Structure formats: C-alpha cells, structure tokens
Amino acid sequence: MGSAPPHDALLPLDPKTFAAESRPVIDFLSGYYRDVDKYAVRSAAAEPGRIRTLLPDTPPEHGDPVDVILEDVRRHIVPELTHWQSPNFFAYFPMNASTAGFAGEMLSTGLNVVPFAWAASPAATELEGVVVDWMCKLVGLPDRFLFSGGGGGVLHGSTCEAVVCTLAAARDRALSRLGHEAILRLVVYASDQSHSTFQKGARIIGIPPSNFRVIPTSAASGYGLTADSVQGVVEADVASGLVPLYLCATIGTTGVGAVDPVRQLGEVTRRHGMWLHVDAAYAGSALICPEFQDCIDGAELADSVSMNPHKWFLTNMDCCCLWVASPALLTSALSSNPEYLNNVSEGGADQVIDYKDWQIALSRPFRAMKLWVVLRRYGAAGMRAYIRRHVEMAKWFERTVSADERFEVVTPRRFSLVAFRLRPRHEGDHHAVDAMNRKLLVAINASGRVFMTHFVVDNKFVVRMAVGGAMTQMRHVQDAWELVKEKAKEVGALPTE
Ligand SMILES: *Cc1c(COP(=O)(O)O)cnc(C)c1O
C-alpha cells in the first residue's frame, strides 16, 4: 500500500493524465511565440555536431517528466533553431503556422486515424474530398478539377510528392499507348525558373536525364516561359523521334515569383498530347483574391494543379493540395490492391475513394482536419485579407527599394516576394556588384535581426525578401528596410552619381 506504481506501468495514453501532460506544451509554445521575435532569426550558436555533444549517447532507461523534457528543448534545441515563425523571417518562402492550423493539427494527430482507404476512416476520406473541393473553388480552378466535374483532389505532404505522382500518371498514359520500351523517348519540360523537383521527379519515374529539357527564360517575359520557346523545343524533339510527355508551368516561381502563361502553354501541350501541370506551391494562396485570378487563366487546359497551404495559407506543415482532371489516370498509375486491404463487407468499392491510390505511401495523416479547421476559423474573407496584408507590405518594400537610387528591384513583384539588389554603378562591374550583394546578404543575416535568402537570375546575385509570416506586420518590414540600408552602408554602397 502507498507505493507508487512502477514507472513503466504508466498508461502511455491515459485520459486521466492527457490534459495535464499536454498543457505544459501549449504553455511552452505560447511563450515561444511571445518571445520568438527576440531570438536571432538564424541561430549564431548552431554548429554541426554540437547538439550531439549536449545530449546523452543513449535514450534514458526510465522516462522523464514532460517539464524536464521541455526544459531541455528550451536549453538545447531552441537556441540552435532557425526561427521560421519569427515575424522577421523573410527567407525562402513562408511556412505558416497559425493558431487554427495548430488546433487542426492537434485534432488530426490526437485522433490519429489513417485514411488510406475509405473504410479505414470514412469521415476522414469524405472530409478530404470536401476540403479539396472547397479549396478548388476558392483558388478559382475550373469545375473539371472538382469531384462533381469529373476530377478531384487529394492532400499530399509536399509538392515534390504531388509532382512525382503526376509524372507517373502522365508516363503511364503515354506508355499504355506506345509500349513500355518508349520510356527512353519520353521528354519532360520545365523552365530555368521551375522548381528543382521536376528534374528530380523525372529521374525518379525513369525519364533519361538527357530527356529533361530546361527552357531558358529572360527578363523580357518577366522570367516566364513563352509559348514560342516551348513550341520550338517540343517540335525539335518530335522531329528527332522523341515523345513530349509533360510540361511544368509555374505560378510564382521560387526564385523571383515569375508566372508562366498557362493558357498559351496549355494550347501547346494540348496540340502535342502532353500533360500540363501547374505548380502554384507558394502563389496558389494568392489566387483566392480576385485580383490575382488572371494568373490562372487557361487552367482548364491543365491536367493537374498543385499548391501548398503549408506555405502561405496558415496551415502548419505539411499540406499540399493536388487536383487532377482525371483521377483514373492517377489511380491507374498508383493503385495497389493487396489482399490485406480488401474490404470484405463493403460492396460498391467503385463509389468510394481510397486515397492510398492517389499517392506514394500507404499510411497518411488526417490532413483534411487541419485545413478544414483553418478554413472554418478564418473564413474566405479572413484569408483574403491575410494575403492582401502581405502583398501590401511587399508593395511598400518594392516601392521603397525602387525609390533609393543605390538599389534596384530586379524583376517586378507579382505577389509578396521582392527580388532586389544594390545596382551597378558603372557598366561592366558585374563581378564587383555580385560580390557586394553577397556581402550585403551575409551582413544582413549575421545581424540576426532578419533572415533573407538569395537567388541568381540572369547571372545577377539578388536578395529575396519573401513577406508572408503569420506574425509579420508592417513594422517588421520597415525595420528590415532600415537594416538593409544600414548594412548597405557598411559594405560600401555609395549613392550613384
Ligand atoms: C516550395 C516550392 C516547391 C516545393 O514544395 P514542397 O512542398 O517543399 O515539395 C515546388 N514548387 C514551388 C514553386 C515552390 O515554391
């Protein structure tokens, strides 16, 4: 009597202790969000191998209380993080967290159901169908991507996975016509601004590396593809006996936010029986605002479209919407029917969705819950206002940079990304300008006050200011500009004559 139960006899999921064990985590996170703007955005303390020296070589034999674990998170982990949720994080693209995204993630991970087949979790599968249809309408895609229009959507973990799946569907459609040996003749096309995932995806699905075409873009088209440039490359391939398979069009490229003309490209891909994928990973979120809808004009000519709510849509990692016009093409490339997954009691398997056949993995989280909670909590109007706030901040930054004669905006801003640099003072000092801009970026980031990243376009080293953090406000963008000016002076930028 009176002796505590042995530690390892604790129930790992115990309704009696669940709330008490979980609450300290919420308190910890709420403190983290309160203080995150005080941390250096990119840790100065982090060093390869350092965390290993701080932690034991083996896991504990007996479990620690949550508070002790959280104390180690505070002491060892937080100081060596890059703080993606800092309002001063302007690097890469935003990866939004939000209170509703967190609530949705808690529900999803708390219920921890696995909707790989309809019967494995009916409501989770059904909710996913509803939510991808909602998103399809919000983003303004044509009805052919809705389930009621013969298409449909799925929530993947990443654009990279979505792209591999669409490439596999396109490949199998072509090979069912041409025979398997034709795989060596299939060609995949992207622009020099497309995401690297297309090249990787093409390699994964067996496209010979020499059959991946990178079509150059230029400042004249705002670094977007043109129908003529694609048409020319495609026709040359056809003339040499190759088979054009797949073109990636991007709305909001990763480097500078360029937009490919979907309708014109769609006309080319239709003519050649190619698959057209529209990658709107980042800028897809902006499409919910009518003023950006022109970017998606011609989407009815696409075979698939994807965007990442986990970037700029307040949905915590991970969540990528993929829509396809013909689900049968996707599922015939990806379906598997092992006996242990067959539904014994259900008839009418054709009427339900088994999402395992829309993706690579079998097991999958209940992502629909998370996106649904975000949409419910903030509403379409709230989301539009959220996007527009960032666009306004980026506009201000673009205007302000352009007004300073030492700087130039390298390519016109389309969404909330501004690509800028210190401008050359004389003809021909190209290398010196690049070196100065590199120094500028290093100095900006070394301050810890913000984090920005770079890109190289047209052989120009440019600094990327990607606005879109859930906590970012105008004053953070203004402070960033003050910092840029301060560091520009330090690296020796002088007013142009
Ligand atoms: C971020 C991004 C990707 C990759 O998205 P993941 O979800 O990380 O795979 C692809 N394309 C574009 C345009 C992106 O901005």
Side-chain angles (χ1 to χ4, degrees):
M1 268 298 288
S3 67
H7 217 57
D8 57 2
L10 286 175
L11 279 177
L13 189 56
D14 182 352
K16 289 199 290 294
T17 55
F18 182 79
E21 290 261 327
S22 302
R23 212 165 281 128
V25 179
I26 306 269
D27 292 340
F28 167 81
L29 286 173
S30 113
Y32 175 74
Y33 292 136
R34 192 188 55 230
D35 294 337
V36 69
D37 63 343
K38 300 187 186 75
Y39 300 125
V41 185
R42 216 187 44 176
S43 168
E47 266 173 50
R50 221 178 85 82
I51 293 284
R52 186 177 284 279
T53 66
L54 299 174
L55 301 179
D57 290 336
T58 53
E61 190 61 24
H62 300 287
D64 290 316
V66 172
D67 289 337
V68 172
I69 302 168
L70 286 175
E71 190 45 38
D72 279 354
V73 175
R74 205 172 275 125
R75 278 202 349 241
H76 298 320
I77 306 299
V78 170
E80 303 200 20
L81 290 177
T82 295
H83 299 285
W84 285 70
Q85 301 314 315
S86 165
N88 303 310
F89 182 99
F90 302 109
Y92 311 109
F93 276 136
M95 291 296 230
N96 283 176
S98 71
T99 307
F102 181 67
E105 182 68 46
M106 272 198 291
L107 283 168
S108 160
T109 202
L111 296 170
N112 210 39
V113 297
V114 186
F116 55 64
W118 187 87
S121 224
T125 298
E126 297 285 333
L127 186 63
E128 188 160 335
V130 170
V131 166
V132 290
D133 271 359
W134 279 12
M135 285 298 291
C136 184
K137 291 173 190 170
L138 265 187
V139 167
L141 294 180
D143 289 353
R144 71 195 295 250
F145 294 104
L146 292 171
F147 280 100
S148 57
V154 56
L155 297 177
H156 282 185
S158 71
T159 295
C160 294
E161 183 190 350
V163 163
V164 170
C165 293
T166 58
L167 279 163
R171 175 199 61 195
D172 287 3
R173 177 174 73 173
L175 296 185
S176 69
R177 187 164 47 85
L178 302 167
H180 202 80
E181 305 68 45
I183 190 155
L184 296 178
R185 291 194 287 131
L186 302 180
V187 187
V188 173
Y189 303 81
S191 88
D192 57 4
Q193 303 297 313
S194 301
H195 197 274
S196 57
T197 193
F198 289 91
Q199 187 151 19
K200 184 169 173 172
R203 237 164 63 207
I204 290 172
I205 65 136
I207 302 297
S210 58
N211 285 7
F212 184 81
R213 302 274 176 270
V214 177
I215 301 170
T217 61
S218 70
S221 58
Y223 303 104
L225 284 167
T226 63
D228 284 348
S229 61
V230 175
Q231 176 83 11
V233 179
V234 166
E235 278 173 3
D237 282 333
V238 172
S240 56
L242 297 172
V243 180
L245 179 71
Y246 183 107
L247 172 70
C248 148
T250 308
I251 299 177
T253 60
T254 316
V256 297
V259 175
D260 293 328
V262 175
R263 177 171 301 286
Q264 285 99 300
L265 299 179
E267 283 160 4
V268 177
T269 53
R270 278 286 167 96
R271 230 174 359 256
H272 292 276
M274 299 164 65
W275 187 288
L276 175 63
H277 180 78
V278 176
D279 173 9
Y282 147 72
S285 298
L287 299 177
I288 68 168
C289 303
E291 61 270 30
F292 290 112
Q293 269 289 300
D294 58 325
C295 297
I296 196 93
D297 174 56
E300 70 276 12
L301 302 174
D303 296 281
S304 49
V305 181
S306 58
M307 63 86 71
N308 283 352
H310 70 219
K311 276 188 169 153
W312 191 19
F313 206 76
L314 293 176
T315 307
N316 296 42
M317 281 280 290
D318 55 11
C319 188
C320 167
C321 296
L322 168 67
W323 297 276
V324 289
S326 171
L329 291 174
L330 197 62
T331 56
S332 70
L334 300 171
S335 68
S336 56
N337 287 299
E339 189 53 38
Y340 50 81
L341 295 180
N342 282 345
N343 302 320
V344 180
S345 54
E346 275 89 5
D350 289 349
Q351 274 116 65
V352 297
I353 291 171
D354 292 333
Y355 271 126
K356 70 182 172 57
D357 298 336
W358 294 56
Q359 64 170 26
I360 295 169
L362 171 65
S363 303
R364 59 204 306 277
F366 188 3
R367 295 189 183 96
M369 173 61 83
K370 181 167 51 184
L371 186 50
W372 186 56
V373 172
V374 167
L375 289 166
R376 292 280 308 274
R377 184 71 188 88
Y378 301 128
M383 291 307 304
R384 281 187 212 104
Y386 173 71
I387 295 292
R388 283 173 179 148
R389 245 188 346 257
H390 290 142
V391 172
E392 285 310 311
M393 293 177 207
K395 272 186 188 163
W396 177 87
F397 192 85
E398 178 189 39
R399 244 191 346 262
T400 308
V401 170
S402 308
D404 187 317
E405 57 180 5
R406 294 169 298 173
F407 291 89
E408 66 182 357
V409 171
V410 173
T411 176
R413 176 207 51 79
R414 292 296 286 267
F415 306 101
S416 64
L417 169 67
V418 182
F420 69 100
R421 65 168 189 162
L422 288 163
R423 64 158 97 231
R425 297 176 62 213
H426 309 286
E427 285 294 323
D429 58 358
H430 170 77
H431 291 295
V433 175
D434 270 6
M436 187 164 6
N437 279 291
R438 264 176 211 279
K439 263 169 57 187
L440 173 65
L441 180 62
V442 168
I444 287 170
N445 289 338
S447 76
R449 283 154 58 191
V450 306
F451 182 28
M452 297 180 189
T453 47
H454 79 279
F455 190 62
V456 175
V457 65
D458 252 358
N459 286 318
K460 294 173 188 163
F461 182 96
V462 301
V463 180
R464 293 169 73 265
M465 169 79 176
V467 182
M471 284 193 269
T472 300
Q473 295 177 31
M474 195 56 205
R475 66 188 160 87
H476 301 109
V477 175
Q478 286 165 336
D479 287 350
W481 171 241
E482 291 306 316
L483 178 68
V484 168
K485 284 192 296 185
E486 186 185 312
K487 297 301 168 189
K489 214 175 280 170
E490 276 179 35
V491 302
L494 302 168
T496 44
E497 296 95 65

